[in-house]
Amino acid sequence: MHLTFDDAKNQKNIEDRKLNFELVYSFEFESARLYAVDATARVLREIRHRALGLMALRGYALVFVETKGNSNVYNKANKRR
């Protein structure tokens, strides 16, 4: 899967969460525990997918949209407890 993301949103995510979207290249899609469709985004004529899985041996939530040939990353978050 080819992944893309907005550089400005990536910079904001780095500032807000100290997480770089480039980490998503190591997301383990094959072993993701939950893979669901976000129904609220259908109004926007896009289907946002949510996945819970591992990146660099830590659990993450990933939100992305599939487009022709790409998947655009919208958000990922990780809160340590």
Side-chain angles (χ1 to χ4, degrees):
M1 179 182 309
H2 184 261
L3 300 168
T4 62
F5 50 83
D6 181 275
D7 290 331
K9 289 181 183 179
N10 184 37
Q11 187 59 40
K12 181 160 176 42
N13 201 57
I14 292 169
E15 292 167 6
D16 293 349
R17 298 186 179 100
K18 311 292 187 261
L19 293 171
N20 191 324
F21 279 169
E22 290 190 17
L23 186 61
V24 78
Y25 294 118
S26 68
F27 189 82
E28 297 179 19
F29 285 94
E30 299 81 20
S31 64
R33 298 291 182 218
L34 174 65
Y35 201 79
V37 176
D38 184 355
T40 61
R42 290 185 182 155
V43 176
L44 303 173
R45 297 182 186 234
E46 64 184 20
I47 299 174
R48 293 187 181 186
H49 300 278
R50 295 180 182 182
L52 299 176
L54 297 175
M55 287 186 285
L57 301 177
R58 290 189 56 202
Y60 286 88
L62 175 66
V63 178
F64 63 96
V65 173
E66 289 185 272
T67 60
K68 292 182 181 178
N70 295 317
S71 290
N72 191 36
V73 175
Y74 274 83
N75 196 3
K76 65 178 178 48
N78 174 336
K79 291 188 177 185
R80 291 185 182 197
R81 297 188 187 256

